[in-house]
Amino acid sequence: MKHFKGIIATSHVDRHNEVMPVETLEAMVEQVNKQYIPMGIEHDPRIPPLGRLVSARVLQLEDGEYGVEGIGEIFEPGDIIELQNDGREIILHGKVKENLYLRYDRNYRDREDQVIINELSNLFGSEPKEEIKKSLDPISILTIGGAFVLGGIANGFLGKIGSDAYDSVKAKITKLLQKKAKKKEHEPLLIFSFWVSADGYHLEVEAILTNPTSEDIDSFFKSGLNQLDSLVSLYFDKKIGLRRIITKYENKELNLLFGVRKDAVPMFLKKD
């Protein structure tokens, strides 16, 4: 395992023509020092963590601006990394959400997208939230999430949508994604992110659909959710420290990609 130290964010105007104020940098440092932050490539959720940030601090740069200096670790092939039980864990989403919720990235900021996003969120009974990512944005991400008990994802998810809203939800999601696909600027990803819990233990499972059609989404609702329930049950074991399971759904099949331990170390699980 390699160690590194470097500037990971600054208060300069960035390539998105935005500025991160010092207060935001300080909040970033606080988060890094409280939780393990997985490091990936351009925020692509299909790629396992390459490393993790373990500490950070704010410092003033030579030009008078401010930056966050991060200390991290890069995982290498053959590493045997002992599970850390120091009270720090990776960030999970959705644990306090009673309703379904929707998250989106900067690629969904235009007026037409926002209208559809707000219509979807109204159907879910929640407020939409933009996820701020500082990357080159080779992909666009739309995330639908919720919290469920073990074995209850399929029934719980479809129950929260309701039969009356099913077709409307599917049509609105499809319209958003097809609009992005036609522009061919960013590869559209639809992610279903679920917080699953039982007996005081919980983990997060994600199913990723790449550039899905209406038929793909319909297939996931009818078959993929049940497959997800079965897969989560196989790995629902707090002893191994697993906190996140990443899957992809394509050609009507759910495929396991990898897991992530609570200390941000990837786990390459086998589906029996």
Short mmCIF file of all heavy atoms in Angstrom, two decimals, residues 162-219:
data_model
loop_
_atom_site.label_atom_id
_atom_site.label_comp_id
_atom_site.label_asym_id
_atom_site.label_seq_id
_atom_site.Cartn_x
_atom_site.Cartn_y
_atom_site.Cartn_z
N GLY A 162 -46.37 2.75 -5.64
CA GLY A 162 -47.82 2.62 -5.81
C GLY A 162 -48.16 2.28 -7.25
O GLY A 162 -47.53 2.78 -8.19
N SER A 163 -49.14 1.43 -7.44
CA SER A 163 -49.52 0.99 -8.79
C SER A 163 -50.00 2.14 -9.66
O SER A 163 -49.78 2.14 -10.89
CB SER A 163 -50.60 -0.09 -8.69
OG SER A 163 -51.74 0.39 -7.99
N ASP A 164 -50.65 3.12 -9.06
CA ASP A 164 -51.17 4.24 -9.84
C ASP A 164 -50.07 5.11 -10.44
O ASP A 164 -50.24 5.70 -11.51
CB ASP A 164 -52.08 5.12 -8.97
CG ASP A 164 -53.36 4.42 -8.55
OD1 ASP A 164 -53.72 3.43 -9.22
OD2 ASP A 164 -53.98 4.84 -7.56
N ALA A 165 -48.93 5.19 -9.74
CA ALA A 165 -47.84 6.06 -10.18
C ALA A 165 -46.75 5.31 -10.95
O ALA A 165 -45.82 5.94 -11.46
CB ALA A 165 -47.22 6.78 -8.98
N TYR A 166 -46.85 4.01 -11.02
CA TYR A 166 -45.79 3.18 -11.62
C TYR A 166 -45.43 3.63 -13.03
O TYR A 166 -44.25 3.90 -13.33
CB TYR A 166 -46.23 1.72 -11.62
CG TYR A 166 -45.24 0.76 -12.24
CD1 TYR A 166 -44.23 0.19 -11.47
CD2 TYR A 166 -45.31 0.44 -13.59
CE1 TYR A 166 -43.31 -0.69 -12.04
CE2 TYR A 166 -44.39 -0.43 -14.17
CZ TYR A 166 -43.40 -1.00 -13.39
OH TYR A 166 -42.50 -1.86 -13.95
N ASP A 167 -46.41 3.71 -13.91
CA ASP A 167 -46.13 4.07 -15.30
C ASP A 167 -45.60 5.49 -15.42
O ASP A 167 -44.72 5.77 -16.25
CB ASP A 167 -47.40 3.93 -16.15
CG ASP A 167 -47.79 2.47 -16.36
OD1 ASP A 167 -46.89 1.61 -16.31
OD2 ASP A 167 -48.99 2.20 -16.57
N SER A 168 -46.10 6.39 -14.59
CA SER A 168 -45.64 7.78 -14.63
C SER A 168 -44.19 7.89 -14.20
O SER A 168 -43.39 8.60 -14.83
CB SER A 168 -46.52 8.65 -13.73
OG SER A 168 -46.08 9.99 -13.75
N VAL A 169 -43.83 7.18 -13.13
CA VAL A 169 -42.44 7.19 -12.64
C VAL A 169 -41.51 6.65 -13.72
O VAL A 169 -40.47 7.26 -14.02
CB VAL A 169 -42.32 6.36 -11.34
CG1 VAL A 169 -40.85 6.10 -11.02
CG2 VAL A 169 -42.99 7.08 -10.19
N LYS A 170 -41.87 5.53 -14.31
CA LYS A 170 -41.02 4.93 -15.35
C LYS A 170 -40.86 5.86 -16.54
O LYS A 170 -39.75 6.03 -17.07
CB LYS A 170 -41.63 3.60 -15.79
CG LYS A 170 -40.78 2.83 -16.79
CD LYS A 170 -41.40 1.48 -17.15
CE LYS A 170 -42.74 1.67 -17.84
NZ LYS A 170 -43.30 0.37 -18.31
N ALA A 171 -41.94 6.50 -16.96
CA ALA A 171 -41.89 7.39 -18.13
C ALA A 171 -41.02 8.61 -17.86
O ALA A 171 -40.25 9.05 -18.73
CB ALA A 171 -43.31 7.83 -18.50
N LYS A 172 -41.11 9.18 -16.66
CA LYS A 172 -40.33 10.37 -16.34
C LYS A 172 -38.84 10.04 -16.24
O LYS A 172 -37.98 10.81 -16.71
CB LYS A 172 -40.83 10.99 -15.03
CG LYS A 172 -42.24 11.58 -15.14
CD LYS A 172 -42.70 12.18 -13.83
CE LYS A 172 -44.17 12.60 -13.90
NZ LYS A 172 -44.43 13.58 -14.97
N ILE A 173 -38.51 8.92 -15.62
CA ILE A 173 -37.11 8.50 -15.54
C ILE A 173 -36.55 8.29 -16.94
O ILE A 173 -35.45 8.75 -17.27
CB ILE A 173 -36.98 7.21 -14.71
CG1 ILE A 173 -37.36 7.45 -13.25
CG2 ILE A 173 -35.54 6.68 -14.78
CD1 ILE A 173 -37.45 6.18 -12.43
N THR A 174 -37.30 7.58 -17.77
CA THR A 174 -36.86 7.30 -19.14
C THR A 174 -36.62 8.58 -19.93
O THR A 174 -35.63 8.71 -20.66
CB THR A 174 -37.89 6.43 -19.87
OG1 THR A 174 -38.08 5.21 -19.15
CG2 THR A 174 -37.43 6.10 -21.28
N LYS A 175 -37.51 9.55 -19.78
CA LYS A 175 -37.38 10.81 -20.51
C LYS A 175 -36.10 11.53 -20.11
O LYS A 175 -35.36 12.06 -20.97
CB LYS A 175 -38.59 11.69 -20.24
CG LYS A 175 -38.61 12.98 -21.06
CD LYS A 175 -39.90 13.75 -20.84
CE LYS A 175 -39.93 15.03 -21.68
NZ LYS A 175 -41.21 15.78 -21.51
N LEU A 176 -35.81 11.57 -18.82
CA LEU A 176 -34.58 12.22 -18.34
C LEU A 176 -33.33 11.57 -18.93
O LEU A 176 -32.43 12.24 -19.42
CB LEU A 176 -34.52 12.16 -16.82
CG LEU A 176 -35.30 13.19 -16.02
CD1 LEU A 176 -35.26 12.84 -14.54
CD2 LEU A 176 -34.75 14.60 -16.24
N LEU A 177 -33.29 10.24 -18.88
CA LEU A 177 -32.10 9.52 -19.31
C LEU A 177 -31.93 9.56 -20.83
O LEU A 177 -30.81 9.69 -21.33
CB LEU A 177 -32.16 8.08 -18.82
CG LEU A 177 -32.16 7.91 -17.30
CD1 LEU A 177 -32.41 6.46 -16.92
CD2 LEU A 177 -30.84 8.38 -16.71
N GLN A 178 -33.02 9.43 -21.57
CA GLN A 178 -32.91 9.46 -23.02
C GLN A 178 -32.46 10.82 -23.53
O GLN A 178 -31.75 10.91 -24.54
CB GLN A 178 -34.25 9.07 -23.64
CG GLN A 178 -34.58 7.60 -23.51
CD GLN A 178 -35.87 7.21 -24.19
OE1 GLN A 178 -36.71 8.05 -24.54
NE2 GLN A 178 -36.06 5.91 -24.39
N LYS A 179 -32.85 11.86 -22.83
CA LYS A 179 -32.40 13.20 -23.20
C LYS A 179 -30.89 13.29 -23.09
O LYS A 179 -30.22 13.87 -23.95
CB LYS A 179 -33.07 14.23 -22.31
CG LYS A 179 -32.72 15.67 -22.64
CD LYS A 179 -33.40 16.63 -21.68
CE LYS A 179 -32.93 18.06 -21.93
NZ LYS A 179 -33.47 18.99 -20.92
N LYS A 180 -30.33 12.72 -22.03
CA LYS A 180 -28.88 12.74 -21.85
C LYS A 180 -28.18 11.87 -22.89
O LYS A 180 -27.13 12.22 -23.42
CB LYS A 180 -28.51 12.26 -20.44
CG LYS A 180 -28.97 13.22 -19.35
CD LYS A 180 -28.17 14.51 -19.41
CE LYS A 180 -28.72 15.56 -18.46
NZ LYS A 180 -29.94 16.19 -18.93
N ALA A 181 -28.77 10.72 -23.19
CA ALA A 181 -28.17 9.80 -24.15
C ALA A 181 -28.11 10.41 -25.55
O ALA A 181 -27.14 10.22 -26.28
CB ALA A 181 -28.96 8.50 -24.18
N LYS A 182 -29.13 11.18 -25.93
CA LYS A 182 -29.17 11.78 -27.25
C LYS A 182 -28.09 12.83 -27.43
O LYS A 182 -27.55 13.01 -28.53
CB LYS A 182 -30.55 12.40 -27.50
CG LYS A 182 -31.65 11.38 -27.73
CD LYS A 182 -32.99 12.05 -27.95
CE LYS A 182 -34.10 11.02 -28.16
NZ LYS A 182 -35.43 11.66 -28.35
N LYS A 183 -27.75 13.52 -26.36
CA LYS A 183 -26.71 14.55 -26.46
C LYS A 183 -25.32 13.95 -26.63
O LYS A 183 -24.40 14.61 -27.13
CB LYS A 183 -26.74 15.43 -25.20
CG LYS A 183 -27.92 16.37 -25.13
CD LYS A 183 -27.80 17.31 -23.93
CE LYS A 183 -28.94 18.31 -23.91
NZ LYS A 183 -28.81 19.26 -22.75
N LYS A 184 -25.15 12.73 -26.18
CA LYS A 184 -23.88 11.99 -26.31
C LYS A 184 -22.71 12.72 -25.67
O LYS A 184 -21.56 12.56 -26.06
CB LYS A 184 -23.58 11.70 -27.78
CG LYS A 184 -24.61 10.81 -28.45
CD LYS A 184 -24.25 10.52 -29.90
CE LYS A 184 -25.31 9.61 -30.52
NZ LYS A 184 -24.99 9.28 -31.94
N GLU A 185 -23.02 13.55 -24.67
CA GLU A 185 -21.96 14.25 -23.95
C GLU A 185 -21.51 13.47 -22.72
O GLU A 185 -20.35 13.50 -22.34
CB GLU A 185 -22.44 15.64 -23.53
CG GLU A 185 -22.76 16.55 -24.70
CD GLU A 185 -23.35 17.88 -24.24
OE1 GLU A 185 -23.62 18.02 -23.04
OE2 GLU A 185 -23.53 18.77 -25.09
N HIS A 186 -22.46 12.80 -22.08
CA HIS A 186 -22.19 12.06 -20.86
C HIS A 186 -22.95 10.74 -20.91
O HIS A 186 -24.09 10.69 -21.36
CB HIS A 186 -22.63 12.85 -19.62
CG HIS A 186 -22.06 14.23 -19.56
ND1 HIS A 186 -22.76 15.32 -20.01
CD2 HIS A 186 -20.88 14.68 -19.10
CE1 HIS A 186 -22.02 16.41 -19.84
NE2 HIS A 186 -20.89 16.06 -19.29
N GLU A 187 -22.30 9.70 -20.45
CA GLU A 187 -22.96 8.40 -20.38
C GLU A 187 -23.94 8.40 -19.20
O GLU A 187 -23.53 8.58 -18.06
CB GLU A 187 -21.91 7.30 -20.18
CG GLU A 187 -22.47 5.90 -20.20
CD GLU A 187 -21.38 4.87 -20.09
OE1 GLU A 187 -20.44 5.09 -19.29
OE2 GLU A 187 -21.46 3.83 -20.78
N PRO A 188 -25.24 8.23 -19.46
CA PRO A 188 -26.22 8.30 -18.37
C PRO A 188 -26.26 7.02 -17.54
O PRO A 188 -26.39 5.92 -18.09
CB PRO A 188 -27.54 8.55 -19.09
CG PRO A 188 -27.35 7.96 -20.45
CD PRO A 188 -25.89 8.10 -20.78
N LEU A 189 -26.16 7.17 -16.23
CA LEU A 189 -26.30 6.05 -15.31
C LEU A 189 -27.53 6.27 -14.44
O LEU A 189 -27.75 7.37 -13.93
CB LEU A 189 -25.08 5.92 -14.40
CG LEU A 189 -23.71 5.71 -15.02
CD1 LEU A 189 -22.66 5.49 -13.92
CD2 LEU A 189 -23.70 4.56 -16.01
N LEU A 190 -28.33 5.23 -14.28
CA LEU A 190 -29.44 5.23 -13.34
C LEU A 190 -29.05 4.31 -12.20
O LEU A 190 -28.74 3.13 -12.44
CB LEU A 190 -30.72 4.75 -14.01
CG LEU A 190 -31.93 4.53 -13.10
CD1 LEU A 190 -32.35 5.84 -12.44
CD2 LEU A 190 -33.10 3.94 -13.90
N ILE A 191 -29.04 4.83 -10.99
CA ILE A 191 -28.61 4.05 -9.83
C ILE A 191 -29.76 3.92 -8.84
O ILE A 191 -30.39 4.92 -8.47
CB ILE A 191 -27.40 4.69 -9.13
CG1 ILE A 191 -26.21 4.79 -10.10
CG2 ILE A 191 -27.00 3.89 -7.89
CD1 ILE A 191 -24.99 5.45 -9.50
N PHE A 192 -30.02 2.70 -8.43
CA PHE A 192 -30.95 2.45 -7.34
C PHE A 192 -30.11 2.14 -6.10
O PHE A 192 -29.34 1.17 -6.09
CB PHE A 192 -31.89 1.29 -7.67
CG PHE A 192 -32.85 1.62 -8.78
CD1 PHE A 192 -32.52 1.32 -10.10
CD2 PHE A 192 -34.05 2.24 -8.52
CE1 PHE A 192 -33.39 1.64 -11.13
CE2 PHE A 192 -34.93 2.57 -9.54
CZ PHE A 192 -34.59 2.26 -10.85
N SER A 193 -30.24 2.98 -5.09
CA SER A 193 -29.41 2.89 -3.89
C SER A 193 -30.28 2.65 -2.67
O SER A 193 -31.11 3.50 -2.33
CB SER A 193 -28.60 4.19 -3.73
OG SER A 193 -27.83 4.16 -2.56
N PHE A 194 -30.11 1.49 -2.03
CA PHE A 194 -30.99 1.10 -0.95
C PHE A 194 -30.23 0.82 0.34
O PHE A 194 -29.23 0.10 0.35
CB PHE A 194 -31.80 -0.14 -1.34
CG PHE A 194 -32.61 0.03 -2.59
CD1 PHE A 194 -32.55 -0.91 -3.61
CD2 PHE A 194 -33.44 1.14 -2.75
CE1 PHE A 194 -33.30 -0.75 -4.76
CE2 PHE A 194 -34.20 1.30 -3.90
CZ PHE A 194 -34.13 0.36 -4.91
N TRP A 195 -30.72 1.40 1.42
CA TRP A 195 -30.23 1.14 2.77
C TRP A 195 -31.03 -0.06 3.29
O TRP A 195 -32.25 -0.02 3.38
CB TRP A 195 -30.46 2.38 3.62
CG TRP A 195 -30.26 2.25 5.09
CD1 TRP A 195 -31.13 1.72 5.99
CD2 TRP A 195 -29.13 2.68 5.84
NE1 TRP A 195 -30.63 1.79 7.26
CE2 TRP A 195 -29.40 2.38 7.20
CE3 TRP A 195 -27.93 3.30 5.51
CZ2 TRP A 195 -28.49 2.68 8.22
CZ3 TRP A 195 -27.04 3.60 6.52
CH2 TRP A 195 -27.32 3.29 7.86
N VAL A 196 -30.33 -1.14 3.62
CA VAL A 196 -30.98 -2.37 4.07
C VAL A 196 -30.55 -2.67 5.50
O VAL A 196 -29.36 -2.63 5.82
CB VAL A 196 -30.61 -3.55 3.15
CG1 VAL A 196 -31.35 -4.81 3.58
CG2 VAL A 196 -30.93 -3.22 1.70
N SER A 197 -31.52 -2.99 6.36
CA SER A 197 -31.18 -3.20 7.77
C SER A 197 -31.94 -4.37 8.36
O SER A 197 -33.02 -4.75 7.90
CB SER A 197 -31.49 -1.93 8.58
OG SER A 197 -32.86 -1.60 8.48
N ALA A 198 -31.34 -4.95 9.41
CA ALA A 198 -31.97 -6.02 10.19
C ALA A 198 -31.14 -6.25 11.44
O ALA A 198 -29.90 -6.32 11.37
CB ALA A 198 -32.08 -7.32 9.38
N ASP A 199 -31.80 -6.36 12.59
CA ASP A 199 -31.15 -6.68 13.86
C ASP A 199 -29.99 -5.74 14.19
O ASP A 199 -28.94 -6.17 14.67
CB ASP A 199 -30.65 -8.13 13.86
CG ASP A 199 -31.79 -9.13 13.68
OD1 ASP A 199 -32.89 -8.85 14.18
OD2 ASP A 199 -31.58 -10.16 13.01
N GLY A 200 -30.16 -4.46 13.90
CA GLY A 200 -29.14 -3.48 14.23
C GLY A 200 -27.99 -3.38 13.26
O GLY A 200 -27.08 -2.56 13.44
N TYR A 201 -27.99 -4.22 12.23
CA TYR A 201 -26.92 -4.17 11.22
C TYR A 201 -27.51 -3.61 9.93
O TYR A 201 -28.68 -3.84 9.62
CB TYR A 201 -26.35 -5.57 10.99
CG TYR A 201 -25.37 -5.67 9.85
CD1 TYR A 201 -24.20 -4.91 9.82
CD2 TYR A 201 -25.59 -6.55 8.78
CE1 TYR A 201 -23.29 -5.01 8.78
CE2 TYR A 201 -24.69 -6.66 7.73
CZ TYR A 201 -23.55 -5.89 7.74
OH TYR A 201 -22.65 -5.99 6.70
N HIS A 202 -26.72 -2.88 9.18
CA HIS A 202 -27.19 -2.28 7.95
C HIS A 202 -26.07 -2.20 6.92
O HIS A 202 -24.89 -2.17 7.26
CB HIS A 202 -27.75 -0.87 8.21
CG HIS A 202 -26.76 0.00 8.95
ND1 HIS A 202 -26.83 0.16 10.31
CD2 HIS A 202 -25.70 0.72 8.53
CE1 HIS A 202 -25.84 0.95 10.70
NE2 HIS A 202 -25.15 1.31 9.63
N LEU A 203 -26.45 -2.20 5.67
CA LEU A 203 -25.51 -1.94 4.58
C LEU A 203 -26.27 -1.27 3.44
O LEU A 203 -27.49 -1.22 3.43
CB LEU A 203 -24.80 -3.22 4.13
CG LEU A 203 -25.61 -4.41 3.62
CD1 LEU A 203 -26.10 -4.20 2.21
CD2 LEU A 203 -24.75 -5.67 3.66
N GLU A 204 -25.50 -0.77 2.49
CA GLU A 204 -26.07 -0.08 1.34
C GLU A 204 -25.80 -0.91 0.10
O GLU A 204 -24.67 -1.37 -0.11
CB GLU A 204 -25.43 1.31 1.21
CG GLU A 204 -26.11 2.22 0.21
CD GLU A 204 -25.54 3.63 0.29
OE1 GLU A 204 -24.38 3.82 -0.09
OE2 GLU A 204 -26.25 4.53 0.75
N VAL A 205 -26.82 -1.11 -0.70
CA VAL A 205 -26.66 -1.85 -1.95
C VAL A 205 -27.07 -0.97 -3.12
O VAL A 205 -28.07 -0.25 -3.04
CB VAL A 205 -27.47 -3.16 -1.94
CG1 VAL A 205 -28.96 -2.88 -1.70
CG2 VAL A 205 -27.29 -3.94 -3.22
N GLU A 206 -26.26 -0.98 -4.18
CA GLU A 206 -26.55 -0.17 -5.35
C GLU A 206 -26.68 -1.07 -6.58
O GLU A 206 -25.86 -1.98 -6.78
CB GLU A 206 -25.46 0.87 -5.59
CG GLU A 206 -25.40 1.94 -4.52
CD GLU A 206 -24.44 3.06 -4.88
OE1 GLU A 206 -23.68 2.92 -5.87
OE2 GLU A 206 -24.44 4.08 -4.17
N ALA A 207 -27.68 -0.79 -7.39
CA ALA A 207 -27.84 -1.45 -8.68
C ALA A 207 -27.70 -0.38 -9.76
O ALA A 207 -28.44 0.61 -9.75
CB ALA A 207 -29.20 -2.13 -8.78
N ILE A 208 -26.75 -0.55 -10.66
CA ILE A 208 -26.44 0.46 -11.67
C ILE A 208 -26.93 0.00 -13.03
O ILE A 208 -26.61 -1.10 -13.48
CB ILE A 208 -24.91 0.72 -11.73
CG1 ILE A 208 -24.40 1.15 -10.35
CG2 ILE A 208 -24.59 1.76 -12.79
CD1 ILE A 208 -22.88 1.22 -10.28
N LEU A 209 -27.71 0.84 -13.67
CA LEU A 209 -28.17 0.60 -15.03
C LEU A 209 -27.51 1.64 -15.93
O LEU A 209 -27.67 2.84 -15.71
CB LEU A 209 -29.69 0.71 -15.15
CG LEU A 209 -30.55 -0.44 -14.59
CD1 LEU A 209 -30.46 -0.51 -13.07
CD2 LEU A 209 -32.01 -0.29 -15.03
N THR A 210 -26.77 1.19 -16.93
CA THR A 210 -26.05 2.08 -17.84
C THR A 210 -26.89 2.34 -19.08
O THR A 210 -27.26 1.42 -19.80
CB THR A 210 -24.70 1.48 -18.24
OG1 THR A 210 -23.91 1.28 -17.06
CG2 THR A 210 -23.94 2.41 -19.18
N ASN A 211 -27.20 3.62 -19.32
CA ASN A 211 -27.98 4.04 -20.49
C ASN A 211 -29.21 3.16 -20.69
O ASN A 211 -29.42 2.60 -21.78
CB ASN A 211 -27.10 4.03 -21.74
CG ASN A 211 -27.72 4.78 -22.90
OD1 ASN A 211 -28.68 5.53 -22.73
ND2 ASN A 211 -27.20 4.55 -24.09
N PRO A 212 -30.04 3.01 -19.66
CA PRO A 212 -31.16 2.07 -19.77
C PRO A 212 -32.31 2.59 -20.62
O PRO A 212 -32.57 3.78 -20.70
CB PRO A 212 -31.61 1.91 -18.31
CG PRO A 212 -31.29 3.23 -17.69
CD PRO A 212 -30.00 3.68 -18.34
N THR A 213 -33.00 1.64 -21.26
CA THR A 213 -34.22 1.94 -21.99
C THR A 213 -35.42 1.80 -21.04
O THR A 213 -35.27 1.33 -19.91
CB THR A 213 -34.41 0.97 -23.16
OG1 THR A 213 -34.54 -0.36 -22.63
CG2 THR A 213 -33.20 1.02 -24.10
N SER A 214 -36.59 2.15 -21.53
CA SER A 214 -37.81 1.96 -20.74
C SER A 214 -38.01 0.50 -20.41
O SER A 214 -38.43 0.14 -19.31
CB SER A 214 -39.02 2.50 -21.51
OG SER A 214 -40.21 2.27 -20.80
N GLU A 215 -37.66 -0.38 -21.36
CA GLU A 215 -37.79 -1.82 -21.14
C GLU A 215 -36.81 -2.30 -20.06
O GLU A 215 -37.15 -3.18 -19.26
CB GLU A 215 -37.54 -2.58 -22.44
CG GLU A 215 -38.62 -2.41 -23.50
CD GLU A 215 -38.57 -1.04 -24.18
OE1 GLU A 215 -37.51 -0.37 -24.12
OE2 GLU A 215 -39.61 -0.64 -24.76
N ASP A 216 -35.61 -1.74 -20.04
CA ASP A 216 -34.63 -2.11 -19.01
C ASP A 216 -35.14 -1.73 -17.62
O ASP A 216 -35.01 -2.50 -16.67
CB ASP A 216 -33.29 -1.41 -19.26
CG ASP A 216 -32.61 -1.87 -20.53
OD1 ASP A 216 -32.78 -3.04 -20.91
OD2 ASP A 216 -31.90 -1.05 -21.15
N ILE A 217 -35.70 -0.54 -17.51
CA ILE A 217 -36.21 -0.07 -16.22
C ILE A 217 -37.38 -0.93 -15.78
O ILE A 217 -37.48 -1.33 -14.61
CB ILE A 217 -36.61 1.42 -16.31
CG1 ILE A 217 -35.38 2.27 -16.63
CG2 ILE A 217 -37.27 1.89 -15.02
CD1 ILE A 217 -35.70 3.72 -16.98
N ASP A 218 -38.27 -1.24 -16.70
CA ASP A 218 -39.42 -2.09 -16.39
C ASP A 218 -38.96 -3.47 -15.94
O ASP A 218 -39.49 -4.03 -14.97
CB ASP A 218 -40.31 -2.22 -17.62
CG ASP A 218 -41.65 -2.86 -17.31
OD1 ASP A 218 -42.35 -2.34 -16.42
OD2 ASP A 218 -41.98 -3.88 -17.94
N SER A 219 -37.95 -4.01 -16.61
CA SER A 219 -37.40 -5.32 -16.25
C SER A 219 -36.78 -5.29 -14.86
O SER A 219 -36.94 -6.23 -14.07
CB SER A 219 -36.36 -5.77 -17.27
OG SER A 219 -35.71 -6.95 -16.87
#
